[in-house]
Amino acid sequence: MIPAAFDYVRAESAEEAISLIGQHGDESKFLAGGHSLLPLMKLRLAQPTVLIDIGRLTDLSYIREDGDVIAIGAMTRHMDVENSPVLAEHAPLLAHAASHVGDPQVRHRGTIGGSIAHSDSASDLPATTLALGATYVAQGPNGTREIAAGDFYKGFLTTDLAADEMLTEIRVPKMQGAGWSFQKFNRRAQDWAIVGVAAWRRNGDSGIGLVNMSSVPVLASGVSSALSGGASIEDAAALATEGCDPTADLNASIEYREHLARILTKRALEASSS
Amino acid sequence: MTVIDDMEASTESIAAGNGVLGQRMLRKEDPALLTGEAVFTNDMKVPGALHLAVLRSPYAHAKILSVDVSGALAMPGVLHAYSGADLADSWAAPMPCAWPVTDDMKNPAHYPLAVSKATYVGDGVACVLATSDAAARDAIEAIDVEYEPLPAVIDLEDALSDNVVIHDELGTNASYTWPLVIEETEGDCQKAMDESAYVVKERYVQQRLIPMAMEPRAVVAMPQPFGGDMTLYSSTQVPHILKVMTALTLGIPEQQMRVVCPAVGGGFGSKLNVYAEELLCVQLAQTLKVPVRWNEERGENTQATIHGRAQIQDIELAADEQGKITGMRVRLIGDMGAYLQLVTPGVPLLGAFLYGGVYEIPKAFDFSCTSVFTTMTPTDAYRGAGRPEATYAIEHAMDALARKMDIDPLELRRRNFIPKEAFPYEAYTGLTYDSGDHDKAATVAENILGYADLRAKQAAQNTPDAKKRLGIGVSTYFEMCGLAPSRVLASLNYSAGGWESATVRVLPTSKIQVVTGTAPHGQGHETAWSMIAADKFGVDPADVDVLHSDTAIAPLGLDTYGSRSLPVGGVAIGMACDKVIEKARKIAAHQMEANEEDLEFAGGMFTVKGSPDKEMPLAAIAFEAFTAHDLPDDLEPNLEVQVTYDPPNFSWPFGTHMCVVEIDVETGETDVLEYVAVDDCGNKVNPLIVDGQVHGGVVQGLAQALYEEAAYDSDGNLQSSSLAEYLVPAASDVPSITTGESITPSPTNPLGVKGVGEAGTIGAAPCIMNAVVDALSGLGVQDIQMPASPLKVWTAIQEAQA
Ligand SMILES: Cc1cc2nc3c(=O)[nH]c(=O)nc-3n(C[C@H](O)[C@H](O)[C@H](O)COP(=O)(O)OP(=O)(O)OC[C@H]3O[C@@H](n4cnc5c(N)ncnc54)[C@H](O)[C@@H]3O)c2cc1C
């Protein structure tokens, strides 16, 4: 449980962090809440030589209304997402999903930006923000750009972020009046999902994000089109595993994971419809 | 097998003294633990200590062709590095196995570092000493080992076929076969199988479990200045056994060895052992004349510390028309892992005597256990050690029998209970169960749960298309603990006795010291033992200090395991207190010029019958004993007595557990809705501690039923080597547990107490699994292997309905 040796630098601003990562190059990493990175380092599965601590960038910790969207700073802790009155009003699905992340210790340290940048498909927030049609704001040496969640996840723990780009903001459309549900299936309350489903429905529209059903978070668009085409929940949910490529582990066979995805999608849609 | 027929009967009430006994007193230990002030082994500041790190085999089975430590020696902070071969001449004897269960048991020589072959993932092959833990751990990565991988041996029946022999020198993987056949006439068991109205034949698999104490192991070996004395600090349950064994394996004169356990954060049997790292630290500290320390990482703990359970049980149960058991046959395969650790081979034997559960069993019993080596972490005693496995088998088979007969499982049990009037009861095994009232324990549980109403609710809910099915679980148990009468241990070939020592000392200021040979690691002995002494002397428990876990302070003892501490060690304390009071009585009689027989002692005061003005407090007697100015002739100064107590019988706690589960048929998820535990452990010194033991035990049993498994892949890699994959349930994952009261004092000891450390674990796994199968049998599911994960439950439902 002792990581390999590394250097540590603390950034005082996003700009400084970006220039530091430019200087130190490939073997350096941002350190946000450390709740994904440090466990990997302790197991020596990750051995960055320089950590650039962005943990003190409190100006990146906020949740505010910005026209039709809610803007969330990348350094916002899961606990603040969970308890945000703004999100409770405009995107309760995200606040609720954040309440399912790990345990209270994890939620007090882990950040929404770290979770999305790390892009573990078993994590709750990548799939949830994907379902919500979020955009992510990345800042690099040459300024900022917005990336649609649908274009962000490129492969196992791989995103569209360039090595010298930092995720600074998550923008979630306001969704008042939508029905929603977050179904997380795990064996212990503190665990990652074996399968999870984040879903919302409003009028004819819907969004369904699947946790841990592929190497990347999955948007079950087939289910949404079936629903808008008038399919029953039961029939639509049967399409949940289209485009999924789940793996087997101690907790689930591929067949069982696919079964769970369909059942949980059905339950999520039923709950979102009432 | 020794038959115990000379029990000292006593039914003296436990609350003889000042009413302290039986109080729910908060534990003295907890403030230090809860504030973080308690000092664990790894918290110790040891100037100049070198840190040991062990390089472990990544292969389950491999020849070690060469080990090159030069890379490690070149790393910063590294002072020494050794291969197994480098240290091969350091050991006076192999690592100890204290339980050669049969004369022909095969036991491969086991040394702290492997020399020519690694036989499990985690087996130590080389080590490094450096100036910091970090430097040592960096350096082991620079050791170059050339391996020739060999096939892993994971499956027990495959291991028995000897396709791949793990220890070449033994020529076989089978370690021993130990039979226990009890018949009036040869063939009685077979006759019962042939002639009885009902026979059920079941196979159960006790999955491997990882004990997972909250504090992993830690060791500091500290050479004393000049002369060769050695102090070993270790996170162990067995300081006394460890002292003897380190002396023997390292050739250190025993009087020069001292073992101390600082605060110990749990053991569950996993620290009832003598481990490679303890021997490495002591040996290297002795050679290099510097302190050497080692701290186990969690990932190491899951591989280098013993595992538990790991048995395959074939059980056949025969019963007559009414369901009365007429015979039983058990065939067991025990997974020893790669080596025999301290008591590895004895674990199945501890269970062998309990297959009869709480029932009247005729002498038509045929048990045999064959134990086999595999290329996995060695197994050894884990909370209950053999007894949870045995109880699971009989209790799960009783449910199978009830289903076959189509009668209520509780009713079937009642038909077989040993009746209350029959105690003390000589069982088919020749052992005497000292006391029991099974109908009472069952009735208490039944009433708390509302059993009959629940059965009605279940019948209404479990329609064929129900999405959620209710299951009701019942299990009973008898436990054989309080290890143990030394003569019985002798008959089982165990290499040590089962006594316990206590010294009770009244200091000149009348404060009391209790010195115990038990070695608490979470159980609350400081609280409970001070309550026993406080009650005897009529003082406040705060005035009693309990000294333990340091062989220089408490030189005699056999430590803590097998629910022995109270029924052996605690009883010894009570006896020592009585003897101190007898001595004090002599002094009081002398001082007050009265007859000893006329003195009464209560509330810390001696009074003379018939002379109300004459009294003498214990404090005054203590001071007289200390100054020795005016003692009776022939009486030695000071109030101090040492007692060694060898129990005449085991301790026989028993109980009934019941639970309700609800299974989500669509996902296979099991939700435990209610859990009721009635554990009769005789008189309770501190019911709060009893509840704590029961709660923890139930959760550990529930964990076996639903969550935990040390799963290996076919290459012999442990797949659940961290707390992310090895699913220890947390508070939010377990139901609230209701405990019900049943108190049947033990007639075996003067306190009337029985052990309770393992009881909850023993009752819980069969109770939960019986409920799971009860919920699903209507769908055609016959059984599910533990742990009943959602995946397994869902798969079983699919298969049953296909
Ligand atoms: C015991 C435990 C249980 C957990 N359970 C869950 C769970 O149930 N569900 C779940 O979703 N998650 C779970 N997590 C993960 C947790 O949510 C993490 O906090 C989160 O995944 C990562 O956030 P972080 O701020 O800790 O990131 P860090 O660990 O600091 O960083 C993670 C990675 O992202 C990079 N990074 C961080 N911030 C940025 C940024 N702003 N821009 C670019 N790159 C960045 C880092 O360089 C690093 O590579 C658990 C973690 C633990 C330890």
Side-chain angles (χ1 to χ4, degrees):
Chain A
M1 294 293 134
I2 298 177
F6 60 88
D7 283 332
Y8 170 91
V9 207
R10 187 191 299 150
E12 302 297 337
S13 68
E15 290 70 28
E16 189 192 352
I18 290 159
S19 103
L20 281 168
I21 209 146
Q23 274 168 42
H24 291 290
D26 271 5
E27 296 308 310
S28 59
K29 279 209 166 287
F30 294 127
L31 174 69
H35 269 53
S36 287
L37 184 54
L38 295 182
L40 289 174
M41 288 171 64
K42 288 181 177 181
L43 294 170
R44 300 199 171 193
L45 295 173
Q47 307 204 350
T49 50
V50 184
L51 286 189
I52 297 156
D53 188 359
I54 56 173
R56 311 268 169 122
L57 305 187
T58 45
D59 55 337
L60 287 182
S61 173
Y62 57 82
I63 299 170
R64 57 183 173 236
E65 292 184 56
D66 185 2
D68 288 344
V69 302
I70 306 299
I72 305 167
M75 285 306 301
T76 309
R77 313 275 172 184
H78 302 317
M79 200 54 114
D80 296 323
V81 173
E82 176 183 351
N83 295 318
S84 158
V86 178
L87 287 175
E89 190 181 344
H90 297 290
L93 169 58
L94 180 57
H96 185 76
S99 78
H100 280 271
V101 173
D103 55 34
Q105 266 174 302
V106 173
R107 296 199 289 278
H108 273 100
R109 294 299 303 164
T111 66
I112 185 168
S115 181
I116 287 166
H118 189 59
S119 76
D120 184 343
S121 78
S123 286
D124 301 311
L125 304 185
T128 304
T129 50
L130 180 65
L132 287 168
T135 48
Y136 307 140
V137 181
Q139 184 176 341
N142 307 316
T144 62
R145 63 181 179 121
E146 287 198 17
I147 310 163
D151 299 328
F152 184 77
Y153 300 101
K154 295 296 184 195
F156 179 66
L157 302 186
T158 313
T159 69
D160 192 48
L161 286 176
D164 58 356
E165 270 184 320
M166 185 173 146
L167 182 64
T168 52
E169 190 174 273
I170 292 87
R171 299 174 68 80
V172 181
K174 284 185 180 173
M175 217 169 266
Q176 262 150 323
W180 58 272
S181 171
F182 186 69
Q183 301 280 331
K184 180 169 178 173
F185 191 80
N186 52 13
R187 288 181 67 187
R188 297 175 302 180
Q190 75 209 51
D191 286 330
W192 269 269
I194 294 172
V195 175
V197 176
W200 61 268
R201 293 188 81 181
R202 191 169 58 178
N203 304 326
D205 291 341
S206 64
I208 296 109
L210 305 181
V211 180
N212 212 8
M213 282 304 291
S214 199
S215 56
V216 290
V218 173
L219 188 68
S221 39
V223 178
S224 291
S225 359
L227 283 176
S228 43
S232 69
I233 285 180
E234 182 99 35
D235 291 345
L239 304 172
T241 52
E242 267 181 13
C244 291
D245 185 15
T247 52
D249 56 29
L250 288 176
N251 291 318
S253 60
I254 290 173
E255 189 194 2
Y256 181 56
R257 255 206 177 91
E258 291 179 336
H259 166 76
L260 282 178
R262 289 187 288 264
I263 288 287
L264 298 177
T265 299
K266 183 174 94 137
R267 290 182 182 180
L269 292 176
E270 280 164 1
S272 310
S273 307
S274 52
Chain B
M1 181 81 242
T2 310
V3 177
I4 300 143
D5 51 11
D6 55 348
M7 293 190 307
E8 286 172 356
S10 165
T11 47
E12 194 181 280
S13 156
I14 190 165
N18 63 357
V20 169
L21 289 187
Q23 298 293 318
R24 299 180 74 86
M25 215 181 98
L26 290 179
R27 302 197 324 166
K28 288 181 168 190
E29 292 88 343
D30 288 341
L33 293 169
L34 296 175
T35 55
E37 286 180 29
V39 175
F40 294 83
T41 302
N42 201 46
D43 295 329
M44 292 173 55
K45 305 269 179 287
V46 184
L50 294 181
H51 294 257
L52 174 82
V54 178
L55 178 68
R56 300 184 183 281
S57 170
Y59 294 104
H61 191 194
K63 273 191 195 146
I64 300 169
L65 301 179
S66 66
V67 180
D68 178 0
V69 297
S70 57
L73 285 168
M75 299 276 289
V78 175
L79 296 174
H80 306 277
Y82 307 94
S83 67
D86 294 338
L87 296 178
D89 293 335
S90 307
W91 321 113
M95 289 172 51
C97 171
W99 206 334
V101 292
T102 61
D103 294 339
D104 60 354
M105 181 185 85
K106 299 214 165 39
N107 179 18
H110 182 199
Y111 292 97
L113 291 179
V115 176
S116 56
K117 213 179 190 194
T119 51
Y120 64 99
V121 174
D123 205 356
V125 295
C127 70
V128 159
L129 290 180
T131 49
S132 73
D133 195 13
R137 295 208 181 259
D138 282 347
I140 54 172
E141 296 193 346
I143 296 175
D144 197 12
V145 183
E146 206 184 329
Y147 295 99
E148 179 188 322
L150 297 167
V153 183
I154 302 306
D155 180 83
L156 302 194
E157 288 173 313
D158 180 41
L160 276 178
S161 75
D162 284 337
N163 283 331
V164 176
V165 173
I166 301 162
H167 299 288
D168 307 305
E169 70 279 18
L170 305 182
T172 173
N173 293 325
S175 177
Y176 68 86
T177 294
W178 186 87
L180 180 68
V181 180
I182 300 160
E183 297 181 322
E184 296 288 357
T185 316
E186 206 185 313
D188 278 354
C189 179
Q190 185 57 46
K191 198 161 158 240
M193 298 300 154
D194 293 341
E195 295 175 6
S196 298
Y198 298 98
V199 177
V200 291
K201 194 170 176 180
E202 301 268 301
R203 165 167 279 210
Y204 303 136
V205 176
Q206 300 285 329
Q207 78 272 33
R208 264 182 179 253
L209 297 178
I210 301 176
M212 209 64 98
M214 200 177 298
E215 182 208 13
R217 292 185 291 122
V219 181
V220 177
M222 226 191 287
Q224 299 304 305
F226 204 78
D229 283 6
M230 174 66 67
T231 306
L232 167 59
Y233 297 86
S234 184
S235 177
T236 181
Q237 304 173 220
V238 289
H240 297 91
I241 294 173
L242 185 58
K243 185 190 73 161
V244 177
M245 292 301 181
T246 38
L248 289 175
T249 43
L250 299 176
I252 297 176
E254 192 185 344
Q255 78 281 9
Q256 295 197 304
M257 271 305 302
R258 172 183 173 200
V259 176
V260 184
C261 324
V264 178
F268 310 115
S270 74
K271 295 174 183 172
L272 190 196
N273 232 304
V274 176
Y275 280 107
E277 296 81 5
E278 290 166 326
L279 300 172
L280 281 167
C281 286
V282 172
Q283 176 60 26
L284 294 171
Q286 204 194 26
T287 317
L288 301 170
K289 299 195 181 342
V290 285
V292 174
R293 70 189 305 167
W294 173 76
N295 183 42
E296 187 178 51
E297 293 188 341
R298 178 60 66 191
E300 286 184 293
N301 178 263
T302 61
Q303 307 199 326
T305 292
I306 61 101
H307 292 175
R309 309 286 185 263
Q311 297 180 349
I312 296 176
Q313 304 164 303
D314 286 310
I315 179 168
E316 279 168 85
L317 203 57
D320 68 14
E321 288 291 347
Q322 271 63 52
K324 285 275 297 178
I325 296 166
T326 52
M328 191 186 305
R329 182 183 287 132
V330 179
R331 291 289 174 269
L332 203 114
I333 309 176
D335 174 1
M336 305 284 93
Y339 284 105
L340 302 182
Q341 286 275 352
L342 192 64
V343 300
T344 305
V347 171
L349 274 63
L350 284 174
F353 298 92
L354 288 185
Y355 278 85
V358 298
Y359 310 118
E360 285 184 306
I361 306 283
K363 293 193 174 173
F365 178 80
D366 177 358
F367 172 97
S368 168
C369 163
T370 298
S371 286
V372 63
F373 294 107
T374 57
T375 56
M376 295 181 275
T377 296
T379 59
D380 206 315
Y382 168 51
R383 201 171 192 172
R387 293 153 291 162
E389 295 93 315
T391 303
Y392 183 88
I394 177 66
E395 288 302 300
H396 211 46
M398 286 298 271
D399 264 37
L401 176 60
R403 276 193 301 278
K404 187 160 201 169
M405 297 177 63
D406 198 21
I407 65 169
D408 182 274
L410 183 55
E411 168 59 23
L412 176 66
R413 285 172 170 80
R414 283 210 161 95
R415 290 183 193 175
N416 283 281
F417 282 164
I418 301 163
K420 183 184 174 190
E421 315 73 63
F423 291 97
Y425 176 84
E426 193 187 316
Y428 64 104
T429 50
L431 292 168
T432 301
Y433 305 155
D434 67 357
S435 56
D437 190 346
H438 301 301
D439 189 58
K440 179 175 174 198
T443 305
V444 171
E446 191 182 9
N447 291 340
I448 293 175
L449 195 73
Y451 187 81
D453 290 350
L454 270 164
R455 284 285 178 207
K457 186 175 172 205
Q458 179 188 33
Q461 180 171 334
N462 289 5
T463 55
D465 56 355
K467 294 233 166 89
K468 299 218 167 174
R469 296 182 69 90
L470 273 190
I472 301 167
V474 177
S475 110
T476 62
Y477 71 89
F478 232 142
E479 191 196 354
M480 177 178 110
C481 65
L483 306 181
S486 298
R487 282 178 298 161
V488 179
L489 291 177
S491 72
L492 294 173
N493 267 9
Y494 183 59
S495 319
W499 48 263
E500 196 44 82
S501 162
T503 300
V504 171
R505 193 180 287 147
V506 185
L507 300 174
T509 56
S510 86
K511 303 294 182 196
I512 292 160
Q513 279 180 335
V514 171
V515 184
T516 178
T518 65
H521 43 284
Q523 293 84 351
H525 293 179
E526 291 178 18
T527 306
W529 294 184
S530 65
M531 289 169 78
I532 292 172
D535 180 76
K536 290 283 185 188
F537 291 111
V539 301
D540 188 328
D543 289 333
V544 183
D545 196 23
V546 178
L547 305 178
H548 59 83
S549 305
D550 178 343
T551 61
I553 291 172
L556 295 174
L558 285 172
D559 308 316
T560 287
Y561 45 85
S563 304
R564 68 187 306 273
S565 296
L566 176 61
V568 192
V571 169
I573 291 163
M575 291 174 159
C577 291
D578 287 341
K579 289 195 170 174
V580 168
I581 292 166
E582 283 322 297
K583 184 168 179 184
R585 183 186 301 276
K586 289 195 167 65
I587 300 173
H590 175 76
Q591 295 265 333
M592 294 193 282
E593 294 176 342
N595 281 328
E596 271 179 57
E597 306 78 68
D598 293 338
L599 293 191
E600 283 177 338
F601 181 64
M605 184 74 79
F606 279 100
T607 49
V608 184
K609 267 184 250 169
S611 312
D613 52 323
K614 281 196 175 174
E615 58 175 32
M616 194 169 179
L618 183 67
I621 299 168
F623 201 68
E624 288 293 339
F626 167 66
T627 63
H629 290 176
D630 183 17
L631 296 180
D633 295 342
D634 304 329
L635 202 67
E636 289 177 15
N638 287 319
L639 284 181
E640 179 186 77
V641 172
Q642 189 259 332
V643 162
T644 306
Y645 170 65
D646 197 350
N649 191 355
F650 289 97
S651 177
W652 298 98
F654 62 91
T656 301
H657 288 199
M658 291 189 187
C659 72
V660 184
V661 304
E662 191 169 61
I663 294 181
D664 182 330
V665 176
E666 287 181 325
T667 63
E669 186 173 31
T670 299
D671 193 8
V672 183
L673 303 178
E674 280 183 72
Y675 200 99
V676 176
V678 180
D679 294 277
D680 190 322
C681 59
N683 290 328
K684 297 178 188 178
V685 171
N686 183 334
L688 189 65
I689 292 180
V690 171
D691 281 354
Q693 289 293 322
V694 169
H695 282 219
V698 165
V699 172
Q700 248 166 342
L702 179 151
Q704 174 173 17
L706 297 180
Y707 291 99
E708 299 180 7
E709 178 168 25
Y712 280 81
D713 68 15
S714 56
D715 291 331
N717 297 303
L718 178 61
Q719 294 173 289
S720 46
S721 61
S722 85
L723 284 164
E725 297 102 16
Y726 190 83
L727 304 180
V728 179
S732 45
D733 306 308
V734 295
S736 163
I737 295 161
T738 310
T739 51
E741 186 102 317
S742 168
I743 296 179
T744 309
S746 167
T748 302
N749 62 67
L751 294 178
V753 296
K754 308 174 184 181
V756 75
E758 297 156 299
T761 319
I762 292 172
C767 183
I768 300 276
M769 290 307 296
N770 284 347
V772 167
V773 177
D774 183 57
L776 299 177
S777 61
L779 296 179
V781 173
Q782 302 292 325
D783 199 8
I784 293 176
Q785 258 182 34
M786 295 188 287
S789 64
L791 168 64
K792 276 195 217 152
V793 170
W794 179 77
T795 307
I797 296 171
Q798 302 308 304
E799 284 170 1
Q801 302 211 306

